[in-house]
Amino acid sequence: MKFGGTSVGDADRIERVARHVMAARDGGYKVCVTVSAMSGETNRLVELTERLGGGDVSREADYDAVVASGEQVTAGLLAINLRSKGVPARSFQGWQMGLATDGAHGRATITELPQDRLMATLDEGGVAVVAGFQGLAPDGRISTLGRGGSDTTAVALAAALGAFRCDIYTDVDGVYTTDPRIVATARRKPVLAYEEMLEMASVGAKVLQTRSVGLAMTYGVPVRVLSSLGEPEETDEGTLITGEEEIVEKQVVSAVVPSKGEAKISLLGVPDKPGRSASIFRLLSEAGVNIDMIVQSPARQGAEANMSFTLSEKDLSHAMETLTAVKGEIGFDELVANQNVSKVSIIGIGMKTHTGVAATMFETLAERAINIENISTSEIKISVLIAADYTELAVRALHEAFGLGGPKA
Amino acid sequence: MKFGGTSVGDADRIERVARHVMAARDGGYKVCVTVSAMSGETNRLVELTERLGGGDVSREADYDAVVASGEQVTAGLLAINLRSKGVPARSFQGWQMGLATDGAHGRATITELPQDRLMATLDEGGVAVVAGFQGLAPDGRISTLGRGGSDTTAVALAAALGAFRCDIYTDVDGVYTTDPRIVATARRKPVLAYEEMLEMASVGAKVLQTRSVGLAMTYGVPVRVLSSLGEPEETDEGTLITGEEEIVEKQVVSAVVPSKGEAKISLLGVPDKPGRSASIFRLLSEAGVNIDMIVQSPARQGAEANMSFTLSEKDLSHAMETLTAVKGEIGFDELVANQNVSKVSIIGIGMKTHTGVAATMFETLAERAINIENISTSEIKISVLIAADYTELAVRALHEAFGLGGPKA
């Protein structure tokens, strides 16, 4: 079981987490719990390191020593509360359970996770409460796993312990067919394939990060996302994320995901010479800018081309500066930035075997007079770039077109 | 160098601490720093453990895991700030430096303190920043040393490293001849003997705790108390606490120490039988009550005695209940409690060789018509119990009588 920052945000919530743990124990499970820092605590500690380090010091070992303390506190408090309720429990810091990392401070990767110490506690009938997000670097110092590291800890523990399941408690009650704030009939998915969750995370669904989903897929750990905000008896089943082969009824489209924070850059009148686009993208890559959804089209009798691509809005000004500096060298006529765009994606493992999905998507948007600026696809995803004003309309139309809605609320 | 909670109370103060460390380094010293938690942090964490544990859980290992995080944060932040100023520095948690304890959670004793890991950092020209108050229990869990544990850590480190001196920075600029809020001419002592500081701590002077002073005396570590509230160049020499043999000019009386929070219990008409007082004090000891300043005097033709003793005000009601419950068994006439008392002590290693000190003290008080209720003495201390209203008058009179004052401010 893993409980995030809002789930352990204050003493009352930690007590409720203890009740969830006890309910699982009453259900006959041996329980290993991973906890995050109390909400706000990691930000407070990061700000102190920035204040005293004169900027970002997240690559330093002492940064990790400071921020890892947040999870240490929560784990201790939950163990204390469980014991006060008669449940034998103890906390483990990363170094105590022997979680080894590669030592890349602030963004470490797990290299080893022995199960003997935790299993000893579980075999004695105890609950092991693990401070997430942290491990021991090869030089004997604390290292943290970066944002979302507690989910990664939980999934890695589930794999190491051979757990029946990894339950990730958060402030939503599962993964939905789309954002319920946009579509009132959005439904919670009872089950999703790892690949679907990976694609959803990659286009900005916030529930889980790609890293922990990828780890779960690699080790075949079933992950369940559910809410910690109610009492155990009120809590729904959530969404189970598991292997494609476990899913009997594969839907063609499982979810419609809007993505904010996109921007588009267009280069007009680029001389159409071999290797020209490769040199542009190498330049942006060296500048640390990730790009997506590239479209190239001929212009002026084929001697020149227009090129456009999307990128994260926060990288926009940096990318524009980088390209402006090499305007003469690359030789384009004009550089146009557009922040008024958004990406809408449809995702589903059924696309592997069904045809006509793209046609349905494009027709649905065309019927609403929504112009598609760029398109990108993967085996189980189609994303389109559209004008930002049409985002909600597009999401609602696609959600209906693919029959994702439940009965109207 | 050791910096307490108020000295590291916020980011600005941690930066000032870094400047003190750098000034010491510029003076040619290798520096090992011990830090406390930021002021208020330990209380916040203790309250969370009490809230979630349903009471005092300070004997549990998870209590230690929670509260030790405060020092871990400060140590990391100071190391970050030093490095941002170009000083190679790193933090050490108790378990990282190998500080071993007896495992008595919440009040552990240091059993081993290897110097190799810290010395390696110092020999490379670095500053070792140590999280005070904590070590590693035999079972591999974090254990804390109890209140005042950071001073103890610092003195133990100074002993282990063979340090030239242990500088304890706090929110006062040294140890005074008496409380400057009571006597305007009170002077900072440039030097004090360990025994004097021990006696002062035992009667309630708050600067240092008896435990760290005792450790310093055992290992012959010179300890200096000084203020962290100014910049390094504004900081006075403070008070050096060292061996009696190092002090050239031994003053007869070094300090006058008032002590609040005292109470007095009198048992009137106790049958004067052998072993009667022993059984009373055994009873109180078993009830966890520490007593002090016992006076016994015959009453009614010697068949009965009156007995009185002092104790901490916070133990008064518990002691009264304990004694009331055995009134019949012990057989006294009356039990009288008095909270309106205070203890005033004079302390000085010169008393070992000078006579007439007690006479001067009693005469001085008699001249002001101050009645002495109880007396207790040690080789270098005389304490008297008086009515609380006379506390300040007594302190001023004794301070003057023993020539402790400086020029009037």
Side-chain angles (χ1 to χ4, degrees):
Chain A
M1 304 174 82
K2 184 263 172 179
F3 295 89
T6 50
S7 305
V8 294
D10 58 33
D12 286 337
R13 290 190 174 193
I14 292 173
E15 292 214 89
R16 189 163 57 203
V17 164
R19 291 193 290 274
H20 277 281
V21 171
M22 290 165 78
R25 234 173 143 252
D26 291 345
Y29 293 104
K30 292 180 182 177
V31 183
C32 177
V33 188
T34 303
V35 289
S36 299
M38 294 166 82
S39 56
E41 188 62 8
T42 302
N43 287 341
R44 182 182 78 87
L45 294 169
V46 169
E47 277 163 26
L48 279 169
T49 66
E50 288 172 352
R51 166 81 177 75
L52 286 160
D56 178 9
V57 291
S58 64
R59 297 293 178 260
E60 297 184 13
D62 286 305
Y63 167 92
D64 282 346
V66 171
V67 298
S69 69
E71 280 74 15
Q72 176 175 334
V73 168
T74 318
L77 291 175
L78 178 57
I80 285 169
N81 191 244
L82 283 166
R83 248 191 339 273
S84 82
K85 294 177 157 83
V87 178
R90 67 154 285 191
S91 72
F92 287 87
Q93 287 97 55
W95 59 271
Q96 286 179 339
M97 62 177 163
L99 190 158
T101 74
D102 62 358
H105 287 291
R107 62 206 151 125
T109 302
I110 299 173
T111 55
E112 208 186 324
L113 183 41
Q115 49 82 49
D116 54 334
R117 290 174 232 183
L118 298 172
M119 203 54 104
T121 295
L122 300 186
D123 284 343
E124 286 162 11
V127 172
V129 184
V130 170
F133 176 63
Q134 60 186 269
L136 193 62
D139 62 357
R141 305 208 57 185
I142 293 172
S143 58
T144 65
L145 308 178
R147 292 275 163 167
S150 289
D151 283 355
T152 306
T153 304
V155 172
L157 281 169
L161 295 168
F164 178 70
R165 199 174 59 223
C166 180
D167 281 353
I168 298 199
Y169 285 79
T170 179
D171 51 0
V172 295
D173 66 353
V175 183
Y176 275 71
T177 50
T178 194
D179 186 340
R181 289 167 301 184
I182 297 178
V183 182
T185 59
R187 282 181 307 127
R188 179 161 49 80
K189 299 289 295 183
V191 66
L192 271 177
Y194 294 122
E195 294 92 331
E196 291 174 314
M197 192 67 234
L198 270 181
E199 291 283 11
M200 289 178 73
S202 75
V203 296
K206 296 270 185 278
V207 185
L208 289 175
Q209 293 194 306
T210 51
R211 185 180 179 188
S212 51
V213 182
L215 194 64
M217 186 162 82
T218 303
Y219 290 98
V221 176
V223 171
R224 197 165 60 139
V225 174
L226 65 178
S227 169
S228 71
L229 299 184
E231 294 299 325
E233 60 277 13
E234 306 159 352
T235 302
D236 288 322
E237 289 289 297
T239 298
L240 182 70
I241 300 151
T242 187
E244 192 184 332
E245 64 286 359
E246 306 286 331
I247 301 176
V248 177
E249 197 179 338
K250 294 174 182 60
Q251 285 197 271
V252 178
V253 172
S254 284
V256 179
V257 186
S259 167
K260 295 280 170 73
E262 302 282 329
K264 177 180 173 180
I265 290 178
S266 303
L267 292 92
L268 307 182
V270 184
D272 197 6
K273 291 182 189 162
R276 187 59 48 128
S277 57
S279 66
I280 290 171
F281 296 134
R282 189 177 312 117
L283 197 72
L284 289 168
S285 166
E286 282 164 10
V289 176
N290 279 317
I291 61 168
D292 185 26
M293 300 181 90
I294 303 160
V295 172
Q296 190 164 339
S297 55
R300 277 202 258 162
Q301 298 106 24
E304 290 183 348
N306 294 336
M307 179 187 291
S308 78
F309 55 86
T310 64
L311 72 169
S312 172
E313 203 170 7
K314 68 177 166 45
D315 290 337
L316 181 62
S317 62
H318 183 45
M320 289 297 281
E321 285 160 19
T322 303
L323 291 172
T324 304
V326 295
K327 186 173 189 231
E329 194 185 318
I330 295 178
F332 53 84
D333 294 338
E334 209 180 332
L335 193 61
V336 181
N338 184 2
Q339 290 179 257
N340 201 25
V341 290
S342 86
K343 186 162 70 178
V344 175
S345 308
I346 59 172
I347 291 161
I349 44 169
M351 285 191 208
K352 287 182 184 176
T353 49
H354 279 67
T355 53
V357 177
T360 304
M361 182 182 200
F362 302 157
E363 280 164 21
T364 303
L365 297 175
E367 280 164 17
R368 270 74 173 183
I370 301 170
N371 186 40
I372 298 172
E373 302 191 18
N374 293 30
I375 298 169
S376 73
T377 62
S378 78
E379 202 182 15
I380 64 164
K381 181 190 72 176
I382 306 171
S383 299
V384 295
L385 195 74
I386 60 173
D389 288 349
Y390 290 87
T391 309
E392 291 79 6
L393 176 64
V395 169
R396 287 183 197 120
L398 293 169
H399 196 262
E400 195 185 336
F402 290 105
L404 296 178
K408 289 225 167 165
Chain B
M1 305 174 82
K2 184 264 171 178
F3 295 88
T6 50
S7 305
V8 294
D10 58 34
D12 285 337
R13 290 190 175 195
I14 292 174
E15 291 214 88
R16 190 163 57 203
V17 164
R19 291 193 290 274
H20 278 281
V21 172
M22 290 165 79
R25 235 173 142 251
D26 291 345
Y29 294 104
K30 290 178 182 176
V31 183
C32 177
V33 188
T34 304
V35 289
S36 299
M38 294 166 82
S39 55
E41 189 62 8
T42 301
N43 288 341
R44 181 181 78 86
L45 293 169
V46 169
E47 278 163 25
L48 278 169
T49 65
E50 288 172 352
R51 166 81 179 75
L52 285 160
D56 178 8
V57 291
S58 64
R59 297 291 178 264
E60 297 184 12
D62 285 305
Y63 168 92
D64 282 347
V66 172
V67 298
S69 69
E71 281 72 16
Q72 176 176 334
V73 168
T74 319
L77 292 175
L78 178 57
I80 285 169
N81 191 243
L82 283 166
R83 246 188 345 271
S84 82
K85 294 177 158 81
V87 179
R90 67 154 284 189
S91 71
F92 286 87
Q93 285 97 56
W95 59 271
Q96 286 180 336
M97 63 177 164
L99 190 158
T101 75
D102 62 358
H105 287 291
R107 61 204 153 127
T109 302
I110 299 173
T111 54
E112 208 187 326
L113 182 42
Q115 48 83 51
D116 53 335
R117 289 174 235 184
L118 299 172
M119 203 53 104
T121 295
L122 300 184
D123 285 343
E124 286 163 10
V127 172
V129 184
V130 171
F133 176 64
Q134 61 186 270
L136 193 63
D139 62 358
R141 304 208 56 184
I142 293 171
S143 58
T144 64
L145 307 177
R147 292 273 163 170
S150 289
D151 283 355
T152 305
T153 304
V155 172
L157 281 171
L161 294 169
F164 179 70
R165 201 174 58 223
C166 180
D167 282 354
I168 298 198
Y169 285 81
T170 178
D171 52 358
V172 295
D173 66 352
V175 184
Y176 276 69
T177 51
T178 194
D179 186 339
R181 289 167 301 184
I182 298 178
V183 182
T185 60
R187 282 181 307 127
R188 178 163 48 81
K189 300 288 298 181
V191 66
L192 271 176
Y194 293 122
E195 295 91 331
E196 291 173 316
M197 193 67 234
L198 269 181
E199 291 284 11
M200 289 177 73
S202 75
V203 296
K206 296 270 185 274
V207 185
L208 288 176
Q209 292 195 304
T210 51
R211 183 179 181 191
S212 50
V213 182
L215 193 64
M217 186 161 83
T218 304
Y219 289 98
V221 176
V223 171
R224 196 163 62 139
V225 174
L226 65 178
S227 169
S228 70
L229 300 185
E231 294 298 325
E233 61 276 14
E234 305 159 354
T235 303
D236 288 322
E237 288 291 295
T239 297
L240 182 70
I241 300 151
T242 186
E244 193 184 329
E245 65 285 359
E246 306 287 328
I247 301 175
V248 179
E249 197 179 338
K250 295 175 179 61
Q251 284 197 272
V252 178
V253 172
S254 284
V256 180
V257 186
S259 168
K260 295 281 170 73
E262 301 282 329
K264 179 180 170 178
I265 289 179
S266 302
L267 292 92
L268 308 181
V270 184
D272 197 5
K273 293 183 188 160
R276 188 59 48 133
S277 57
S279 67
I280 291 171
F281 296 134
R282 190 178 312 115
L283 197 70
L284 290 169
S285 165
E286 282 164 11
V289 176
N290 279 316
I291 60 167
D292 185 27
M293 300 182 88
I294 304 159
V295 172
Q296 188 163 341
S297 54
R300 280 203 254 162
Q301 300 105 23
E304 290 183 350
N306 294 335
M307 180 187 292
S308 78
F309 55 85
T310 64
L311 71 167
S312 173
E313 203 169 6
K314 68 177 167 47
D315 290 336
L316 182 62
S317 63
H318 184 45
M320 289 296 282
E321 285 161 18
T322 304
L323 291 172
T324 304
V326 295
K327 186 171 188 234
E329 193 185 321
I330 295 178
F332 52 84
D333 294 339
E334 208 180 333
L335 192 61
V336 182
N338 183 1
Q339 291 178 257
N340 201 23
V341 290
S342 85
K343 186 163 71 176
V344 175
S345 308
I346 58 173
I347 290 160
I349 44 168
M351 286 190 206
K352 287 182 184 178
T353 49
H354 279 67
T355 54
V357 177
T360 304
M361 183 182 198
F362 301 157
E363 280 164 19
T364 302
L365 297 174
E367 280 165 17
R368 270 77 172 182
I370 300 171
N371 187 40
I372 298 173
E373 301 191 19
N374 292 30
I375 298 169
S376 73
T377 62
S378 78
E379 202 182 15
I380 64 163
K381 180 191 73 178
I382 306 171
S383 299
V384 295
L385 195 75
I386 60 174
D389 288 349
Y390 290 87
T391 310
E392 290 80 5
L393 176 64
V395 169
R396 288 183 196 119
L398 293 168
H399 197 261
E400 195 185 338
F402 290 104
L404 296 178
K408 290 226 166 163

